[in-house]
Amino acid sequence: MTPAQLRSLCLKLSGAEETFPFGPETSVFKVGGKMFALSALKQKPLKVSVKCEPELGEQLRGTYDEIEPGYHLNKRHWLT
């Protein structure tokens, strides 16, 4: 996935907006003022952190080696 594709996918959600509360290098995607994803879109390789239900997060981390607990985020609710 390219940075442009990630941005487009996130902004397709109803009411989604892109903000930059952590500086111009980190895109933060929100719905209703609540974060659901963030990414340094110029970072290579591209990584994205997403919020999810804790049980789903455990399942995904156990299934895919590439999925890790959220980097600098609440490890219970975020995946990177």
Side-chain angles (χ1 to χ4, degrees):
M1 176 174 280
T2 68
Q5 290 170 324
L6 176 60
R7 177 181 276 130
S8 177
L9 179 66
C10 289
L11 293 174
K12 282 183 181 178
L13 294 175
S14 180
E17 63 178 341
E18 181 180 22
T19 64
F20 300 89
F22 306 120
E25 67 282 348
T26 304
S27 293
V28 175
F29 299 95
K30 299 179 179 182
V31 169
K34 297 196 181 237
M35 291 177 25
F36 69 87
L38 67 151
S39 179
L41 294 177
K42 293 183 180 177
Q43 180 181 4
K44 293 186 181 180
L46 179 64
K47 292 184 178 185
V48 61
S49 294
V50 294
K51 193 168 188 179
C52 71
E53 294 294 326
E55 297 78 19
L56 176 59
E58 287 180 28
Q59 179 184 3
L60 291 170
R61 284 192 303 273
T63 304
Y64 302 98
D65 292 336
E66 299 85 0
I67 298 178
E68 304 170 345
Y71 180 71
H72 285 295
L73 297 162
N74 180 316
K75 309 292 188 235
R76 181 165 157 75
H77 295 278
W78 287 86
L79 300 175
T80 297

